[in-house]
Amino acid sequence: MREYLWFACGVTVSAILFAALLFSDFWKRSAGRLASEDRADKDAAVHNGTAAGGPALDTDTAPDEKRMATSSLGYDYEVFLSFRGPDTRSGITNFLYTSLMDEGIRTYRDDKDLRCGQVVGLELLKAIHQSKISIPIFSKGYASSRWCLQELAHIVKCKKTRGQIIIPIFYDVTPSEVRLRTGVYVEALSLHETEKRYTDETIREWKAALEEAGNIKGYDLSMRNRGEGEFAKQLAQDVLVALKTPYLVVSDCLVGIDHHVDEIMQMMGTRIQETWIVGIYGMGGVGKTTLAKFIYNQLSPDFENCCFLSNIRETSELYGVERVQNQLLSGVLRQNWLIIENSSEGSRMIEERISSKKVLLLLDDVDNEIQLNALMGKRDWFGEGSKLIITTRNRDLLNDHKVGYTHDLTGMNLDQSMQLFSRHAFRRESPLDEYVTLSKKAVDIAGGLPLALEVIGSLLSRTNKERWDDKLEAFKRALVKFRAS
């Protein structure tokens, strides 16, 4: 059973209406009244010893985990270099660091040769977490270093949860050695297992990270035919190109998305040369756009022409589908387009101007056949190897439009709902003991929708415990009123 999938759990109409209600009602209420409530909660928190008027911090939670959970969604670094100092610090790592910095690329390189302890510190975890690209330099001694393996495991995690780009360098080992097929990496992992200083789960995590990184297309220098300095300069240019690739920001507080991403990527990976259309279907608020953004970020490094069209349903209703056609042409061709008079003219322009280009296109929240035909009438409107991602609440739309693969998203189960709610309400994986009953009530109201769980958790995170019942009851009453209107 897929323990991380968003399982079907009977997403109710009430949950969908509730998610809409939270945005249309609560966020539009009087800012002054909400501010006064927050001030009252904060005053009470001073006397109760709680943080910011919300749940008290759990002293049993690791401090590194707490601080990582509240880190910025921004990027302090553009590139993180992961390497084993004795192997490459004075050679390829130094060349690469210098070349990247010369190009103005913010690069993190750990300069500590002597490290105390065996666990990667918060500074490095944050540097990895807040980098757009990670470059692991696989040398013969890389896998013998527990430090390097811990870094790599976190890099792979950030690839899955943040869409971080990994550019591996196979310095004096082959990709198959990194994938643990043979050679020194197999020996190094066997030694880690023999020493029994780390749990079986940790060893499995390291092996999985090596397997995944070894399967990523990178630079194989194991049979070098050019100087390291020359290579470093060329790689710096390639990184500049990668950094120009459109990147869509996604939330850090996500639960159960990995298997969805893996399933879609595996399906696309077998059709590299084909023009392929993927549809993501689900109720409003179930996470379609978030999943689509992850796929987009994973694919975008391989495309020069990328375009993300958000809220197509709303934009079309307000301004006409011609506005979206204009956005598509402007995004792919990287120039401001003339006003499109009608959708037929827009369709003709898209076919004529883009048919020779390999594009990555994300169509978010498509509502009807008219919109889809206006934006991607036929596959030959786009060059060979193009990838198109559609999100919609209308499954029939995907059945009718030559979609190669349809991925259904349903609501989260109770355990996943509680985890997601807790991340927003408590900045941890589970509720504090004294909040368990109230948290179950909140999760029940949300009905398995990630959007509702995020909003409720965020609203309650700054609310004193004594007021939770009142606010939860207010949510329920407002929902009844909303459904009756």
Side-chain angles (χ1 to χ4, degrees), residues 68 73 75 128-129 153-166 212 247-259 261-262 290-291 293-295 297-298 423:
M68 283 294 294
L73 285 176
Y75 296 94
I128 295 170
H129 191 75
H154 196 66
I155 286 169
V156 170
K157 179 181 178 181
C158 287
K159 173 179 178 288
K160 293 180 176 180
T161 60
R162 290 175 62 82
Q164 187 179 100
I165 299 170
I166 300 178
E212 179 149 352
Y247 183 87
L248 305 179
V249 176
V250 291
S251 170
D252 281 346
C253 299
L254 298 170
V255 174
I257 198 170
D258 291 357
H259 283 291
V261 174
D262 291 344
T290 298
L291 175 59
K293 285 182 176 181
F294 265 97
I295 302 300
N297 287 340
Q298 295 270 345
R423 287 186 179 183

Side-chain angles (χ1 to χ4, degrees), residues 183-202:
V184 293
Y185 278 36
V186 173
E187 297 171 6
L189 267 293
S190 296
L191 183 59
H192 290 313
E193 290 176 318
T194 302
E195 290 177 344
K196 296 187 181 300
R197 301 182 65 177
Y198 287 85
T199 64
D200 292 343
E201 182 180 353
T202 298

Side-chain angles (χ1 to χ4, degrees), residues 74-343:
Y75 296 94
D76 290 350
Y77 302 98
E78 292 172 299
V79 172
F80 179 90
L81 297 179
S82 176
F83 61 96
R84 186 171 184 266
D87 292 355
T88 65
R89 181 183 300 280
S90 61
I92 183 65
T93 299
N94 186 59
F95 281 121
L96 185 54
Y97 179 79
T98 301
S99 296
L100 291 168
M101 294 297 287
D102 285 347
E103 295 293 341
I105 299 171
R106 301 190 307 279
T107 306
Y108 185 95
R109 175 186 63 178
D110 177 30
D111 287 320
K112 301 184 181 77
D113 282 309
L114 298 176
R115 292 155 168 161
C116 299
Q118 301 297 332
V119 181
V120 175
L122 175 65
E123 180 185 0
L124 270 107
L125 291 180
K126 288 183 66 177
I128 295 170
H129 191 75
Q130 296 179 355
S131 296
K132 293 183 178 180
I133 297 174
S134 282
I135 302 179
I137 304 172
F138 293 116
S139 58
K140 288 189 181 299
Y142 188 96
S144 65
S145 166
R146 301 178 183 90
W147 190 281
C148 290
L149 292 174
Q150 289 164 10
E151 287 180 1
L152 184 65
H154 196 66
I155 286 169
V156 170
K157 179 181 178 181
C158 287
K159 173 179 178 288
K160 293 180 176 180
T161 60
R162 290 175 62 82
Q164 187 179 100
I165 299 170
I166 300 178
I167 304 177
I169 297 176
F170 304 97
Y171 179 65
D172 53 8
V173 293
T174 64
S176 63
E177 287 179 283
V178 174
R179 294 194 296 268
L180 301 175
R181 298 296 185 266
T182 183
V184 293
Y185 278 36
V186 173
E187 297 171 6
L189 267 293
S190 296
L191 183 59
H192 290 313
E193 290 176 318
T194 302
E195 290 177 344
K196 296 187 181 300
R197 301 182 65 177
Y198 287 85
T199 64
D200 292 343
E201 182 180 353
T202 298
I203 297 294
R204 284 194 296 270
E205 185 181 35
W206 291 350
K207 288 182 177 180
L210 287 167
E211 175 80 22
E212 179 149 352
N215 278 316
I216 297 173
K217 182 180 179 181
Y219 297 87
D220 189 352
L221 303 186
S222 58
M223 301 293 290
R224 291 188 291 275
N225 56 10
R226 58 176 169 171
E228 293 179 358
E230 178 187 354
F231 165 75
K233 290 180 181 179
Q234 180 58 54
L235 180 55
Q237 295 300 312
D238 294 343
V239 169
L240 276 175
V241 173
L243 288 172
K244 291 179 181 178
T245 300
Y247 183 87
L248 305 179
V249 176
V250 291
S251 170
D252 281 346
C253 299
L254 298 170
V255 174
I257 198 170
D258 291 357
H259 283 291
H260 293 285
V261 174
D262 291 344
E263 186 174 327
I264 295 175
M265 290 300 296
Q266 288 174 7
M267 182 65 64
M268 282 193 162
T270 61
R271 296 170 170 83
I272 297 176
Q273 302 302 324
E274 299 179 40
T275 297
W276 192 251
I277 304 173
V278 169
I280 301 175
Y281 161 76
M283 299 289 189
V286 80
K288 301 182 298 296
T289 301
T290 298
L291 175 59
K293 285 182 176 181
F294 265 97
I295 302 300
Y296 183 96
N297 287 340
Q298 295 270 345
L299 294 172
S300 60
D302 296 326
F303 290 82
E304 292 184 8
N305 306 295
C306 303
C307 185
F308 168 47
L309 299 175
S310 64
N311 301 318
I312 289 174
R313 175 172 55 89
E314 181 180 354
T315 302
S316 298
E317 289 175 356
L318 292 175
Y319 307 105
V321 73
E322 295 81 6
R323 170 71 68 89
V324 187
Q325 290 176 318
N326 192 302
Q327 292 173 346
L328 172 55
L329 287 164
S330 299
V332 173
L333 301 177
R334 296 184 179 88
Q335 64 185 54
N336 291 326
W337 206 254
L338 298 175
I339 296 175
I340 297 173
E341 298 294 338
N342 56 70
S343 62

Side-chain angles (χ1 to χ4, degrees), residues 28-43:
K28 294 179 181 179
R29 291 188 178 187
S30 167
R33 183 176 63 79
L34 290 176
S36 65
E37 287 185 2
D38 283 342
R39 284 195 296 272
D41 288 342
K42 290 177 183 177
D43 291 340

